[in-house]
Amino acid sequence: MKKLLDSAVLNNISWCGMVGETHGISHILKGNIWGMMSEAPPYYPDLITLSNHTTLKEVMDSIGERNIKSLKDSFASLHLEPYSFRVLFDAEWIFHPPCILGKKIDFNWTTITTKDELTRWNMANGTERIILPSILKKEDVKVFIHENGGRLSGFIAHVGADVVGVSNVFSAEYSDGNIWKEIVRVASTQFPDLYLVGYEREDELRNAISSGWKSLGPLKVWINTVGSE
């Protein structure tokens, strides 16, 4: 499971870097820490740890004189309270094996291909300023949407580190959490034979686990309290 956990972390770093690049933000990997070179887009971390052996010194050296607003502690192994950080939320990395499909099945899901379609998807997801149209040019990214009577559900699947990262899950239809079962089948039709990974918290974590996903371990997202409250 450690290898799969490491792949989940690297996949998430790949996705965060890709989103940053669409905003014109470069990034760097140094030692056990990945980071954006300037302020991250909303809801995205400025820094991400790659190892549960990441030290506080590495973190503080990476921060330097910068005004870092958030850090994803990928293994929930850091104690940053003395450095003016507080935990924004706790979550868990999750995974699911690929779905073995005997034939192509129509799940009434489609992929977003145009700017107008993405605008509608973003409005349903609340990510209008975050997921930009240039992401649609990436061959290893699929933005999925499902509509039923005007109710929209969606998610993003992204290939990196030999796994499929699932993110931006939202649903106005699958109130029972069954969207997580659909995600496995839909993503497996586009990216067969690859494990699915991601992270969730609270209700969505419970929904994913009840739908057959399993936990890989905890993570924390920290925010800098200096100037943020």
Side-chain angles (χ1 to χ4, degrees), residues 16-17 20-21 24-30 33-41 45-47 62-63 66-68:
C16 290
E21 289 170 358
I25 303 170
S26 58
H27 49 89
I28 187 172
L29 177 61
K30 185 176 180 181
I33 298 180
W34 172 94
M36 296 200 188
M37 299 300 289
S38 56
E39 184 178 335
D46 295 306
L47 300 177
S62 294
I63 292 175
R66 293 179 56 193
N67 180 25
I68 296 298

Side-chain angles (χ1 to χ4, degrees), residues 125-175:
N125 191 32
T127 48
E128 297 93 324
R129 297 182 297 120
I130 304 170
I131 307 301
L132 304 182
S134 54
I135 205 75
L136 300 177
K137 299 177 182 178
K138 307 292 186 180
E139 293 184 359
D140 52 359
V141 175
K142 298 292 183 183
V143 182
F144 292 99
I145 191 169
H146 182 279
E147 182 172 1
N148 183 7
R151 296 175 297 175
L152 301 181
S153 302
F155 69 97
I156 294 177
H158 156 249
V159 175
D162 297 322
V163 291
V164 179
V166 173
S167 64
N168 289 271
V169 177
F170 68 93
S171 177
E173 179 180 1
Y174 297 93
S175 58

Side-chain angles (χ1 to χ4, degrees), residues 55-147:
T55 65
L56 287 172
K57 184 178 186 304
E58 286 179 289
V59 172
M60 301 317 296
D61 286 348
S62 294
I63 292 175
E65 299 299 320
R66 293 179 56 193
N67 180 25
I68 296 298
K69 292 187 176 181
S70 62
L71 179 146
K72 184 177 291 174
D73 178 5
S74 300
F75 298 86
S77 60
L78 298 173
H79 299 282
L80 298 176
E81 291 92 346
Y83 301 91
S84 300
F85 282 82
R86 68 172 175 84
V87 175
L88 178 63
F89 63 80
D90 292 276
E92 291 185 30
W93 297 104
I94 56 176
F95 80 97
H96 199 290
C99 180
I100 307 301
L101 299 173
K103 60 180 180 178
K104 187 174 182 180
I105 303 175
D106 181 8
F107 298 105
N108 296 318
W109 286 82
T110 58
T111 55
I112 299 295
T113 59
T114 69
K115 180 179 178 180
D116 288 344
E117 290 172 343
L118 184 63
T119 296
R120 189 163 179 257
W121 186 96
N122 272 324
M123 289 180 66
N125 191 32
T127 48
E128 297 93 324
R129 297 182 297 120
I130 304 170
I131 307 301
L132 304 182
S134 54
I135 205 75
L136 300 177
K137 299 177 182 178
K138 307 292 186 180
E139 293 184 359
D140 52 359
V141 175
K142 298 292 183 183
V143 182
F144 292 99
I145 191 169
H146 182 279
E147 182 172 1

Side-chain angles (χ1 to χ4, degrees), residues 192-207:
D193 304 322
L194 293 177
Y195 272 72
L196 284 73
V197 298
Y199 74 87
E200 288 295 341
R201 61 191 178 105
E202 299 177 345
D203 288 345
E204 283 306 314
L205 175 61
R206 288 187 285 271
N207 288 338

